[in-house]
Amino acid sequence: MSDRPDARQATRWTALLDLIGFHQITAQEIRAETLFLGSRHQGRIVEGAQLELKAPELSAHRGALLRAVIRAAPPTAAVEADQ
């Protein structure tokens, strides 16, 4: 067992940030979601994230994660999604 705390473990600080609408997203979560989006949407990561943002019952954390994926996408991927 590692003595490092779990990155997702809720602390008072993260609970407060969640309460006021700020969500901490790790680089590892962004990479994982990018891979999942790529497989679910045939490699169209940005387009897939934008599509999934329109889901009716989207949690605040998932929305923040999808927006982080869009921001982290290479500029060419964002341009292709706009076309």
Side-chain angles (χ1 to χ4, degrees), residues 21-69:
F22 288 102
H23 304 280
Q24 294 179 333
I25 306 294
T26 65
Q28 183 179 10
E29 288 177 297
I30 294 171
R31 284 191 303 271
E33 187 61 28
T34 299
L35 290 173
F36 292 136
L37 284 167
S39 68
R40 278 195 305 265
H41 298 281
Q42 292 79 35
R44 296 178 169 206
I45 296 163
V46 173
E47 209 171 76
Q50 290 170 338
L51 181 67
E52 291 192 16
L53 275 170
K54 296 176 184 175
E57 295 182 11
L58 186 70
S59 72
H61 184 268
R62 176 115 174 96
L65 177 58
L66 291 170
R67 285 188 291 278
V69 167

